[in-house]
């Protein structure tokens, strides 16, 4: 990353806009008194467009943000709330500032999506500022990549003070000499590795893990007859693709069974 | 006109009640990754796998603790962490209500004591992870568990140890 290799004094950093006291006070009043009916202007500062699509699905019939009076307007001059999406590319800094200055004070700024909050997946790209807050004072952060329509509505509700935020910063210190039980102690380690490889080969990284965990959990639950447990798992599975993987895993299990 | 109203009445409303009534996310929805601090052995697998660097692991300046840290603001909900975790210590939930007013509230962290190399005293892994690997090796047994004592050594000392053992095995030069 450039920040790490290049002396800080020689780098140019954008100065975030600082609210003056009067505007800040007015904004606090606005945040306290406004309950619904806010007009929203959307500024895309270099996202992948996923966030935009979710904003638009928030105002469609299923989620219908307009029933609260939340309306997407075509000009920042009408807006109470500005939604900034995207990781704030260097060339979008100026347009972002222009939109901000065009909106009447007091205004609420929402950082939308992982990109808007911190830069998200693009955070260490050479051409981004890494989110909205290096440039503008942000009031509400809506994480997600992209945030689903319900989480967008939740974000609006949080900004308007209708719902309380659920997340809170936490820091814990683990006690020394805490022990973790071994996962699947009944299955020999090498067999477990073989299962996990096979499942990932069959159905990819995320689902492979879920399928192999389900399979191994079934095996270990039945302490008497693991093969019968595997059979009943295969028989009860309705998804044929998943059943194929289970059958494959069982074949692997059979190949490891040694007659005594 | 009346027919239209009848039609509307029959169709009903498609709009969901959220936020006034709770909403059930479908299973498989990738929401907030939930970290189980008790089950975590601080092995850093998730921090290495995380494509967005939402999870980071850092050694404290006084080198007594290694800190696991997640920023929900950077997470892209890909599930890589859940996939690589050997112990179900991090799993994606269907929790989507993540918006906050204060950016610091997007972070969660947990510090774990580190283990020090029995030879040189350098911190090299979390104590929980060393303990876990020792027990796994014991359960495997056989040749894998032959040099089980070496889990107490850091990577450098282990290499040094291996080189020394190898030198002992090699035929003596003077004799040859
Ligand atoms: S947060 Fe994700 S969906 Fe939204 S703009 Fe960034 S990459 Fe795209
Ligand atoms: S879901 Fe993906 S981005 Fe989020 S913490 Fe896990 S690995 Fe990182
Ligand atoms: S992969 Fe699992 S056990 Fe390892 S540090 Fe991450 S959460 Fe903890």
């Amino acid at each position: 990353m450039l920040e790490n290799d290049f002396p800080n004094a020689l780098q140019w950093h954008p100065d975030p806009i600082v609210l003056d006291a009067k505007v800040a006070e007015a904004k606090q009043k606005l945040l306290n008194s406004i309950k619904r009916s806010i007009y929203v202007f959307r500024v895309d500062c270099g996202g992948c467009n996923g966030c935009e699509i979710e904003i638009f699905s928030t105002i469609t019939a299923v989620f219908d943000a307009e029933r609260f009076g939340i309306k997407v307007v075509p000009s920042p001059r009408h807006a109470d709330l500005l939604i900034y999406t995207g990781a704030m590319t260097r060339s979008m800094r100026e347009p972002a500032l222009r939109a901000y200055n065009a909106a009447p004070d007091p205004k609420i700024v929402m950082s939308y999506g992982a990109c808007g909050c911190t830069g998200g997946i693009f955070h260490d790209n050479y051409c981004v500022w890494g989110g909205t807050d290096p440039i503008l004072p942000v009031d509400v952060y809506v994480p997600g990549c992209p945030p689903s329509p319900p989480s967008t509505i939740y974000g609006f509700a949080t900004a308007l003070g209708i719902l309380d935020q659920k997340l809170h910063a936490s820091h814990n210190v683990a006690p020394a000499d805490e022990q973790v039980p071994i996962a699947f102690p009944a299955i020999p380690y090498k067999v477990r590795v073989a299962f996990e490889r096979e499942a990932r080969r069959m159905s990819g990284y995320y689902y492979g893990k879920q399928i192999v965990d389900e399979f191994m959990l079934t095996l270990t639950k039945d302490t008497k007859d693991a093969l019968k447990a595997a059979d009943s798992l295969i028989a009860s599975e309705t998804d044929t693709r998943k059943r194929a993987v289970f059958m494959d895993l069982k074949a692997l299990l059979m190949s490891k069974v040694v007659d005594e | 006109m009346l027919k239209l109203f009848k039609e509307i009445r029959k169709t009903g409303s498609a709009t969901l009640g959220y936020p006034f009534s709770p909403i059930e996310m479908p299973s498989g929805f990738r929401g907030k990754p939930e970290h189980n601090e008790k089950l975590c052995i601080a092995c850093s697998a998730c921090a290495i796998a995380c494509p967005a660097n939402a999870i980071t692991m850092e050694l404290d300046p006084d080198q007594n603790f290694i800190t696991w840290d997640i920023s929900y603001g950077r997470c892209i909900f890909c599930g890589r962490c859940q996939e690589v975790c050997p112990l179900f210590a991090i799993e994606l939930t269907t929790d989507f209500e993540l918006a906050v007013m204060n950016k610091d509230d997007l972070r969660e962290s947990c510090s774990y004591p580190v283990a020090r190399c029995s030879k040189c005293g350098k911190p090299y892994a979390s104590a929980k992870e060393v303990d876990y690997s020792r027990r796994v090796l014991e359960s495997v047994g056989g040749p894998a568990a032959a040099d089980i004592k070496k889990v107490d050594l850091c990577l450098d000392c282990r290499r040094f140890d291996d080189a020394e053992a190898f030198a002992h095995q090699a035929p003596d030069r003077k004799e040859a």
Side-chain angles (χ1 to χ4, degrees), chain B residues 115 124 130 133-134 137 147-154 158:
Chain B
Y124 69 104
V130 174
S133 347
R134 183 182 291 115
L137 277 179
D147 42 6
I148 198 163
K149 280 196 295 278
K150 284 196 187 163
V151 292
D152 288 335
L153 299 180
C154 70
R158 216 174 304 168

Side-chain angles (χ1 to χ4, degrees), chain A residues 121 205-206, chain B residues 30-33 46-47 49-55 68-72 74-84 90 92:
Chain A
I121 189 82
Y205 79 99
Y206 186 66
Chain B
R30 298 182 191 178
K32 176 187 173 220
C46 51
C50 181
N53 296 347
I55 301 175
W68 185 100
D69 181 295
I70 188 168
S71 162
Y72 294 116
R74 190 167 279 169
C75 176
I76 58 166
F77 305 92
C78 59
R80 289 293 313 219
C81 46
Q82 176 178 345
E83 190 244 344
V84 296
I90 186 158
L92 267 54

Side-chain angles (χ1 to χ4, degrees), chain B residues 40-156:
Chain B
C40 176
I41 54 170
C43 68
S44 308
C46 51
I48 292 167
C50 181
N53 296 347
I55 301 175
T56 52
M57 301 232 33
E58 208 172 345
L59 195 62
D60 286 4
D62 54 358
Q63 306 206 322
N64 287 328
F65 287 98
I66 186 160
T67 302
W68 185 100
D69 181 295
I70 188 168
S71 162
Y72 294 116
R74 190 167 279 169
C75 176
I76 58 166
F77 305 92
C78 59
R80 289 293 313 219
C81 46
Q82 176 178 345
E83 190 244 344
V84 296
C85 182
L87 280 159
F88 309 97
I90 186 158
E91 280 182 333
L92 267 54
T93 59
T94 49
D95 188 4
F96 61 89
E97 295 175 321
L98 301 175
V100 295
M101 300 292 276
N102 180 357
K103 197 176 181 181
D104 296 334
D105 283 338
L106 288 172
R107 298 189 86 97
E108 265 172 32
S109 58
C110 186
S111 295
Y112 295 90
V114 295
R116 286 175 181 276
C117 173
S118 63
K119 209 169 185 181
C120 66
K122 214 171 75 180
Y124 69 104
S126 92
K128 257 177 130 180
E129 185 190 359
V130 174
D131 172 62
Y132 185 78
S133 347
R134 183 182 291 115
R135 281 182 293 130
V136 167
L137 277 179
E138 270 165 8
S139 78
V140 175
D147 42 6
I148 198 163
K149 280 196 295 278
K150 284 196 187 163
V151 292
D152 288 335
L153 299 180
C154 70
L155 195 60
D156 286 342

Side-chain angles (χ1 to χ4, degrees), chain A residues 180-229:
Chain A
V180 182
I182 293 179
F184 303 113
I187 300 178
Y189 197 74
K190 282 184 182 160
V191 179
R192 184 185 157 193
V193 172
F195 279 157
E196 291 187 338
R197 281 215 184 121
E198 182 61 19
R200 282 180 171 77
R201 192 180 70 80
M202 294 288 285
S203 36
Y205 79 99
Y206 186 66
Y207 299 106
K209 155 101 169 167
Q210 284 175 350
I211 290 172
V212 76
D213 283 347
E214 196 180 335
F215 185 75
M216 291 199 292
L217 222 62
T218 317
L219 286 191
T220 47
K221 236 185 235 157
D222 195 331
T223 44
K224 284 198 200 88
D225 195 349
L227 287 180
K228 214 174 89 196

